[in-house]
Amino acid sequence: MRRLAIRGLLFLLGAAALPAASRMTLAFDADWRFLKADAPGAEKPDFADAGWRTLNLPHDWSIEGPFDRQNPTRGAGAFLPAGIGWYRKRFTLTPDQARRRVWVEFDGVMANSDVWINGFHLGRRPYGYVSFRYDLTGHLSPGREANLLAVRADNSQQPASRWYAGAGIYRHVRLVLADPVHIEPDSLFVTTPRIETAQATVHVAGSVVNQSDAPRTVSIEVAILGPNGKTVKTSDPRTLLIPPAASADFQQDVVIQKPELWDLDHPALYGALVKVRAGKDTLDDDVAPFGIREFHFDAATGFWLNGRNFKLKGVCLHPEAGAVGTAVPLRVWARRLEQLRRIGVNAIRVAHNPPAPEFLDLCDRMGFLVMDEMFDCWTVAKNPYDYHLYFREWSHIDTRDTVRRDRNHPSVVLYSAGNEIRDTPKADLAHEILQGLVEVFHSNDPTRPVTQALFRPNVSHDYDNGLADLLDVVGQNYRENELLAAHQAKPTRKIVGAETTHDRRAWLAMRDNPAFSGQFLWAGIDYLGESPGWPAVASYSGLLDKTGAMKPIAWERESWWSEKPMVHMVRRVAPRQASPTDPGYEGRRPIPPETLFDDWTPADFSPHQETVEVYSNCAQVELSLNGRPLGSQALPADASARTWQVAFEPGTLRAACPGEAGKPGPAYELRTAGKAAKILLSADRNPLPPGWDEVSFVTATVVDENGVTVPAADPVIAFKVEGPGVVAAVDSADNTSHEPFRASERRAYHGWCVALVRARREGRMLVSASAEGLASEPLAIEGR
């Protein structure tokens, strides 16, 4: 389905230019017209849209705001707007192009989308998270006459989601032109049924469609491209005779020598290039990236990959990314995954819906394992206007389309049929639905197990009435002891913690039980929506804040999950009792007070005791204040933090691990900050390639004259870019800020904020940040 993305992936792998193909895939993101309102008749080609806004996709119009307590999305939707949006795009085709089969592919439209070509209604898809396509053939105007593609997206009925879902055409769009005899979209399915050190068997299956008016005889050739992009092995051609208006399936086995395995630390990617030929002419070709790896879940020992037994150390991620909403540049995801990998995360649960296809491409390249989840509800609602309204009509179609889209990704090791489904108390209903979904999963991909995030299964008797045993891997949210008890009652069950808290006891339940294959923390990153109440617009449950920076809690997790020696420390402040005057008190729960501070600059400088927690996986940690030893502590067996009571005095607090073999061990320091003096700028990506998917996070940090971050500093910082760049968005870690993301200034929070900078073209950019009373120097970023 994603020919550009697939070919781009192979290019990243170092492939030389692929052979010229009769199939053409055109990026279709540029030059759309948009109106944030309903516009009856806008599907008609002659509708007047000159006054509409011109923009490029992907586009999430809701993230542009404003935040408003009265917005119908409520706290679940981050108090951001909902409504109807129209998109229109004009394009022309040559007479030759117009004679071919032409279809348009949407990776995701939020939500309830209707699509027209030249006034003809192509169809409607209610679920905003699935990818879909429409055949435009027969409805196009040839030559210089313009065609008009119109899309109406409607999420006006609210509440419709438990988290921020965005609005509009928020993922990529492509136009595909192919010969009438072509590979059926998403039909390629690559498996590796036999893997040995010396060789591996690659099985390639697919279907060829003949949409011409005559029978066609074609040959199928399969070439396996190695991780370096070069052809490893080519199959012997196979001949197919396809009647008109029919299709024919094919299967080919290709044996390759000395395969490179796809693994977490070596995510080697191959490609299966399939050509449809008539004589010497190539009618069509398509390529499916894949990885050669063997994985399985074992009831007694948990998860295995390529002969290694290890825990799935996972996090749950929603599809948005803070300041950019749901239209997420790929670099934003890459940066987030880099941070999570530093912590020790090796698995992602996409919660609670199919992700953008390029997110799975990224997990393939970076070596993350994925639980690919479909639904947050079945037929019983969680919101008045959520997917339960469409489940009966669309759930099997959406599941089939998603599995066929995602089944070649080596990162995907689990499918999930749903999260905390409220149908389960009705046993007969839940059994019928789950059996049907599992059948759809297995019929389209028999190589991967299916799970479900069961919620309070002891209440709905899922372990007693057979529902849990319809799953290949039993997943449960929270209550780890219940899951372990279910395994003990029936040791043949394979189990995974589909969703768990950050609590140490949840970690120990997995660590200390071999059958417990893994866990997925709620959540990996703070996310917009599911607010505890106004003024909060985001959830506080992440290891990372919504800018992608590590929160203090992340360092404790790193001490448990990382294999690299590390040490970090924080101040722990006892939480005060919640008060009716606290922000969010009138909501479901008060906004959680901060208790962990990554600084040695308390508000009170008078003599007092500070609780210092040290997170480390080192056998011993030594603490000192201004050079004076404060003692050493060994690594606790129960993974608890090492704690000191320290009499505060300004200066330098240092935690250090003893060195080995003459080399110093890891150490970490906190220093007391003085008065705010200047702004320091740093960029996470320099040089910065031009392009929509590329951004650099430029962090503006308020420091004292010695370069120490001033945590209480909160000036409004104005960003400016000179040269061929632009500030795409701004953000901070403050989940109660109602400042717009699409702006050039932001109030610092805990002494810092960020600007997302994009290069419009190659050339040098100078990024500056200014605030009243603070010195600063610009930062040069090379666009190339």
Side-chain angles (χ1 to χ4, degrees):
M1 180 172 185
R2 294 163 290 109
R3 190 176 186 84
L4 285 183
I6 290 170
R7 287 181 178 266
L9 174 58
L10 291 173
F11 176 77
L12 289 172
L13 291 169
L18 291 173
S22 62
R23 178 180 298 202
M24 295 176 59
T25 301
L26 308 175
F28 222 51
D29 289 339
D31 298 323
W32 288 74
R33 292 195 173 185
F34 169 71
L35 179 70
K36 189 173 68 172
D38 203 2
E43 73 278 8
K44 299 176 181 178
D46 59 356
F47 184 88
D49 61 6
W52 290 21
R53 174 180 166 194
T54 301
L55 51 75
N56 296 333
L57 306 179
H59 175 236
D60 172 10
W61 64 257
S62 181
I63 199 65
E64 298 171 6
F67 294 104
D68 190 324
R69 193 172 187 175
Q70 303 307 315
N71 275 331
T73 57
R74 305 178 187 170
F79 301 103
L80 283 164
I84 297 172
W86 275 89
Y87 297 82
R88 288 164 52 94
K89 180 177 175 64
R90 290 180 174 85
F91 64 99
T92 58
L93 297 174
T94 67
D96 177 65
Q97 291 173 335
R99 284 191 292 267
R100 307 177 80 185
R101 305 300 300 190
V102 182
W103 62 85
V104 62
E105 298 180 340
F106 293 89
D107 284 344
V109 182
M110 188 62 66
N112 299 301
S113 64
D114 287 275
V115 182
W116 294 264
I117 181 67
N118 294 330
F120 178 81
H121 187 242
L122 295 166
R124 189 170 196 265
R125 291 299 286 253
Y127 199 26
Y129 296 108
V130 293
S131 301
F132 56 92
R133 63 176 57 81
Y134 292 117
D135 192 344
L136 309 184
T137 311
H139 306 291
L140 296 169
S141 301
R144 296 185 178 182
E145 187 175 347
N147 296 281
L148 188 283
L149 187 67
V151 180
R152 181 182 186 269
D154 181 1
N155 72 341
S156 58
Q157 291 186 303
Q158 295 288 337
S161 175
R162 295 190 302 115
W163 57 87
Y164 177 74
I169 308 178
Y170 69 105
R171 293 179 182 169
H172 292 290
V173 182
R174 286 166 303 282
L175 193 71
V176 183
L177 298 86
D179 189 90
V181 180
H182 58 267
I183 299 165
E184 180 183 347
D186 284 342
S187 70
L188 293 185
F189 186 23
V190 184
T191 57
T192 51
R194 183 177 179 183
I195 303 173
E196 298 173 352
T197 302
Q199 63 182 29
T201 300
V202 179
H203 182 76
V204 182
S207 182
V208 178
V209 180
N210 179 9
Q211 292 182 301
S212 73
D213 56 4
R216 299 294 296 271
T217 299
V218 299
S219 62
I220 306 299
E221 295 181 3
V222 177
I224 303 301
L225 308 177
N228 63 0
K230 297 180 179 179
T231 300
V232 174
K233 186 74 175 290
T234 300
S235 71
D236 294 329
R238 179 182 176 183
T239 301
L240 295 177
L241 175 60
I242 314 174
S247 64
D249 297 336
F250 67 87
Q251 298 185 53
Q252 296 264 42
D253 283 338
V254 183
V255 177
I256 64 173
Q257 305 299 315
K258 296 181 180 179
E260 292 186 45
L261 299 187
W262 185 94
D263 214 320
L264 304 186
D265 57 355
H266 184 70
L269 288 173
Y270 287 77
L273 175 62
V274 180
K275 296 181 181 180
V276 181
R277 299 177 67 92
K280 295 182 179 180
D281 296 329
T282 299
L283 302 181
D284 189 36
D285 66 18
D286 201 2
V287 60
F290 68 96
I292 300 174
R293 85 282 188 268
E294 186 281 329
F295 78 90
H296 65 276
F297 290 81
D298 182 84
T301 56
F303 182 76
W304 293 76
L305 177 66
N306 298 330
R308 294 187 301 116
N309 182 211
F310 58 87
K311 301 292 188 182
L312 296 175
K313 299 174 181 177
V315 296
C316 303
L317 295 182
H318 273 317
E320 58 76 42
V324 297
T326 56
V328 187
L330 200 57
R331 174 56 197 164
V332 175
W333 280 128
R335 178 176 180 267
R336 290 174 160 219
L337 292 180
E338 288 165 0
Q339 290 282 68
L340 291 170
R341 166 148 291 162
R342 172 181 177 175
I343 297 169
V345 172
N346 62 21
I348 305 296
R349 175 191 178 204
V350 291
H352 304 288
N353 45 260
E358 65 268 21
F359 178 82
L360 295 180
D361 290 338
L362 188 63
C363 290
D364 291 344
R365 294 199 299 271
M366 295 184 69
F368 280 89
L369 303 166
V370 175
M371 179 195 294
D372 198 352
E373 191 157 66
M374 279 303 305
F375 307 115
D376 190 47
C377 67
W378 292 348
T379 67
V380 178
K382 295 181 180 179
N383 285 285
Y385 300 104
D386 60 21
Y387 189 72
H388 81 279
L389 297 172
Y390 316 104
F391 185 86
R392 284 295 188 185
E393 179 182 0
W394 284 100
S395 60
H396 283 199
I397 297 171
D398 289 339
T399 301
R400 179 202 65 197
D401 290 353
T402 299
V403 172
R404 289 170 68 85
R405 186 197 74 171
D406 295 349
R407 61 188 178 179
N408 291 320
H409 288 281
S411 57
V412 176
V413 295
L414 265 176
Y415 294 119
S416 171
N419 170 67
E420 297 183 356
I421 299 301
R422 294 183 181 179
D423 301 60
T424 55
K426 305 174 183 180
D428 291 343
L429 173 65
H431 276 240
E432 172 224 328
I433 292 174
L434 183 56
Q435 283 177 329
L437 289 175
V438 170
E439 182 180 350
V440 175
F441 280 114
H442 285 170
S443 64
N444 288 280
D445 182 359
T447 70
R448 289 177 176 85
V450 179
T451 189
Q452 180 182 328
L454 299 175
F455 184 61
R456 299 183 180 176
N458 285 356
V459 175
S460 51
H461 304 288
D462 300 342
Y463 293 131
D464 306 321
N465 63 23
L467 182 74
D469 295 316
L470 295 175
L471 300 167
D472 304 309
V473 177
V474 178
Q476 178 172 334
N477 286 6
Y478 310 109
R479 296 174 175 82
E480 291 75 21
N481 288 338
E482 290 183 8
L483 183 59
L484 288 167
H487 176 265
Q488 186 175 11
K490 191 173 183 180
T492 56
R493 286 172 171 151
K494 304 166 186 177
I495 60 172
V496 66
E499 189 170 313
T500 61
T501 69
H502 297 280
D503 189 90
R504 179 170 52 91
R505 290 169 294 182
W507 157 234
L508 295 178
M510 179 178 76
R511 187 194 72 174
D512 299 339
N513 290 279
F516 210 127
S517 61
Q519 63 184 198
F520 294 84
L521 301 175
W522 193 267
I525 307 173
D526 285 359
Y527 55 93
L528 293 172
E530 207 162 0
S531 157
W534 186 267
V537 298
S539 169
Y540 290 78
S541 57
L543 294 171
L544 311 181
D545 64 42
K546 59 186 172 65
T547 75
M550 291 176 67
K551 294 163 62 176
I553 193 175
W555 302 104
E556 182 176 42
R557 183 64 51 173
E558 182 179 353
S559 74
W560 298 339
W561 282 9
S562 176
E563 297 179 1
K564 296 181 179 179
M566 59 80 61
V567 62
H568 197 89
M569 61 183 160
V570 298
R571 294 187 299 117
R572 177 176 286 277
V573 178
R576 62 178 179 80
Q577 188 69 29
S579 163
T581 61
D582 289 343
Y585 189 87
E586 76 283 2
R588 292 180 300 157
R589 56 193 182 277
I591 294 174
E594 291 186 87
T595 59
L596 301 177
F597 295 89
D598 191 9
D599 64 62
W600 193 237
T601 311
D604 180 12
F605 270 44
S606 65
H608 66 280
Q609 294 288 113
E610 288 282 350
T611 299
V612 175
E613 288 188 355
V614 175
Y615 309 134
S616 178
N617 51 16
C618 298
Q620 291 284 334
V621 172
E622 302 166 347
L623 192 71
S624 63
L625 177 60
N626 294 327
R628 299 193 309 274
L630 299 180
S632 175
Q633 292 189 33
L635 178 66
D638 65 357
S640 59
R642 283 167 265 201
T643 304
W644 277 263
Q645 295 298 318
V646 179
F648 174 76
E649 65 179 57
T652 301
L653 187 68
R654 187 173 193 271
C657 300
E660 295 181 1
K663 297 181 179 180
Y668 185 72
E669 292 185 349
L670 295 175
R671 293 189 292 164
T672 306
K675 182 180 178 181
K678 56 186 176 182
I679 299 171
L680 292 183
L681 292 179
S682 61
D684 80 315
R685 194 156 174 78
N686 192 3
L688 174 63
W692 186 89
D693 273 317
E694 300 289 349
V695 294
S696 181
F697 280 74
V698 176
T699 302
T701 306
V702 181
V703 299
D704 66 9
E705 60 182 8
N706 296 314
V708 179
T709 302
V710 183
D714 63 349
V716 174
I717 296 179
F719 294 92
K720 182 180 179 182
V721 179
E722 297 180 20
V726 64
V727 175
V730 291
D731 204 357
S732 74
D734 184 1
N735 287 347
T736 65
S737 172
H738 302 148
E739 301 165 279
F741 295 120
R742 303 297 168 86
S744 59
E745 64 178 31
R746 191 78 172 185
R747 183 174 295 279
Y749 183 70
H750 289 326
W752 60 273
C753 58
V754 299
L756 281 65
V757 173
R758 177 177 284 130
R760 289 177 168 168
R761 59 183 184 278
E762 292 188 353
R764 169 168 285 201
M765 295 164 280
L766 283 180
V767 182
S768 60
S770 59
E772 185 177 355
L774 298 177
S776 65
E777 293 184 1
L779 174 69
I781 297 179
E782 297 295 332
R784 67 171 189 268

